[in-house]
Amino acid sequence: MSKIRGRDGTVKVGASTIAEIRDWALERSAATSDGTTINDEWAEKDVGIKSWGGSLNCFQDEADATGQAALEVGETVTLNFYPGGDGSGLIERQGSAIVTGISEKGSNEGFVERSFTFEGTGPLTPSTIA
């Protein structure tokens, strides 16, 4: 089994790499519909609507005009996730997402951090990088 190192991964807004990424999280889920009737002994479920979303944490970089600056609250952007890097033969996941939140945090002994949350709109499509 081949392990993927998180440090090799990256996230892009369109074709632009987001600078100073510390970590990111991506969640995919599917709702279920309950078709159970009064005389059923076991629950009967069916797949409902699928969704995805997540978060991205960075050190703030004001010079990142096409990465961090492109992530504004309420904007719809194309996000590309590369868990193991963006080299040929590796996995990419791409989808449109709405930026739902941005927070910034600073401390006396650290760098200013910026966190983004997003919700997918439409499918998150996996592919292999050519």
Side-chain angles (χ1 to χ4, degrees):
M1 180 174 144
S2 178
K3 293 183 176 90
I4 297 173
R5 292 184 177 154
R7 69 179 184 199
D8 295 333
T10 192
V11 181
K12 297 182 180 184
V13 177
S16 299
T17 300
I18 299 171
E20 304 293 337
I21 297 173
R22 299 201 60 217
D23 59 71
W24 56 270
L26 185 58
E27 180 179 328
R28 295 168 282 179
S29 61
T32 57
S33 298
D34 189 345
T36 309
T37 61
I38 197 165
N39 292 317
D40 289 338
E41 184 176 341
W42 290 90
E44 293 184 22
K45 304 284 184 171
D46 197 3
V47 176
I49 296 174
K50 297 177 185 176
S51 62
W52 65 277
S55 61
L56 174 70
N57 299 303
C58 310
F59 288 123
Q60 187 167 338
D61 185 347
E62 294 298 324
D64 187 18
T66 58
Q68 290 185 28
L71 300 173
E72 282 296 327
V73 171
E75 292 295 318
T76 300
V77 296
T78 299
L79 293 177
N80 301 284
F81 299 88
Y82 303 91
D86 59 357
S88 179
L90 298 174
I91 297 297
E92 168 189 19
R93 291 183 181 90
Q94 180 185 66
S96 292
I98 299 167
V99 179
T100 56
I102 299 173
S103 63
E104 296 176 347
K105 171 176 84 169
S107 68
N108 186 37
E109 297 179 11
F111 297 105
V112 174
E113 297 179 35
R114 184 181 266 172
S115 297
F116 303 91
T117 55
F118 49 86
E119 291 183 22
T121 176
L124 181 66
T125 306
S127 63
T128 302
I129 303 167

